[in-house]
Amino acid sequence: TRQQKPHLEEERKRIESKGGSIMVPPSLLFSRPESEDEDESTLKESSRVFIPNPAGQLALAMSRSIGDFDGKAVGLIAEPDVDVFDIKEQQSPEKGDKYFVVSASDGLYDVLRKESVVQYLATSLYDSNSQRTLPWTCEILIREASRLWLKSSAIMHSIVPYRDDISIGVAKINFDPT
C-alpha cells in the first residue's frame, strides 16, 4: 500500500499549493530501504504538516484525515486511495490459499513492520492449532504498538508520555479461484 505522508511528492504538492508548509526530518531526506533485521522498536521519524491555529501552530504527521477541519484549509483531504483489481490477474491463486485485508493506522505501522502484523494475524485467522481469537490478536498488536510508542517517548526524553492513535480492522476474504 501507499503511505500518505506529507513529504511524498503528490501529497506535498497538494498541501503546498494550498499554502501549507511541511517539515521533513533529515532521516527522510535520504531514503534507505527498510532492513529485514531492523528493530521494530525503532520509531521512524515522520514529516509534519504545519497548520495555523488560534491556540498555536498544530503539526500533523499525515496528509489525509477524516474530520480535521483546521487541516482542510492547508490541503489535508479525506479522500482515500482506492485500488480495484481482479485477484486472478495478480497471481495464480490455488485452492486452499487464504486471503484477508488489514486496514490499520500509522500508529501501528510506524512502530511495527507490516510483515510482522500480517504474520501474526494470519496465524490467528488460519492456524487451526492457534488459541488466539481475532479480537485478542488485534488487542495484542495494539498493546504492543502502544508499548513501543511509550518506550520511544521515554527514550526521546519526552516530558509527557506519548503514543499515536492506533487502530486496526481485519476482514477475511472467502475466495474460490475456480
Side-chain angles (χ1 to χ4, degrees), residues 35-133:
S35 169
E36 284 277 331
D37 58 348
E38 185 174 274
D39 181 6
E40 287 192 343
S41 66
T42 305
L43 182 62
K44 295 148 193 79
E45 291 183 289
S46 184
S47 52
R48 307 260 179 211
V49 176
F50 289 108
I51 302 168
N53 183 287
Q57 195 168 43
L58 303 174
L60 294 177
M62 65 185 108
S63 58
R64 298 184 187 208
S65 174
I66 298 172
D68 197 310
F69 300 107
D70 292 327
K72 304 269 186 254
V74 294
L76 265 64
I77 60 173
E79 183 180 324
D81 281 336
V82 177
D83 293 325
V84 178
F85 60 90
D86 183 342
I87 196 165
K88 294 175 189 171
E89 295 173 6
Q90 299 298 314
Q91 59 179 328
S92 315
E94 302 201 12
K95 201 143 186 85
D97 281 355
K98 310 291 186 199
Y99 299 91
F100 61 98
V101 175
V102 180
S103 179
S105 66
D106 63 342
L108 187 81
Y109 289 129
D110 279 352
V111 294
L112 296 175
R113 288 192 342 264
K114 291 180 279 197
E115 297 81 8
S116 297
V117 171
V118 167
Q119 182 60 47
Y120 210 71
L121 289 167
T123 299
S124 173
L125 288 167
Y126 297 111
D127 184 345
S128 59
N129 295 321
S130 176
Q131 298 297 312
R132 303 175 189 158
T133 64

Side-chain angles (χ1 to χ4, degrees), residues 9-58:
E9 184 177 6
E10 183 179 328
E11 304 296 308
R12 182 181 49 77
K13 284 181 179 178
R14 182 187 67 252
I15 292 164
E16 289 176 344
S17 75
K18 297 282 189 177
S21 61
I22 298 170
M23 183 277 300
V24 182
S27 64
L28 292 178
L29 293 174
F30 309 102
S31 63
R32 63 177 179 78
E34 197 171 281
S35 169
E36 284 277 331
D37 58 348
E38 185 174 274
D39 181 6
E40 287 192 343
S41 66
T42 305
L43 182 62
K44 295 148 193 79
E45 291 183 289
S46 184
S47 52
R48 307 260 179 211
V49 176
F50 289 108
I51 302 168
N53 183 287
Q57 195 168 43
L58 303 174

Side-chain angles (χ1 to χ4, degrees), residues 143-164:
R143 288 182 184 278
E144 177 62 6
S146 179
R147 184 188 71 76
L148 293 171
W149 274 102
L150 294 172
K151 177 182 172 185
S152 293
S153 73
I155 290 169
M156 292 187 267
H157 306 294
S158 177
I159 296 170
V160 178
Y162 175 79
R163 67 159 250 201
D164 200 8

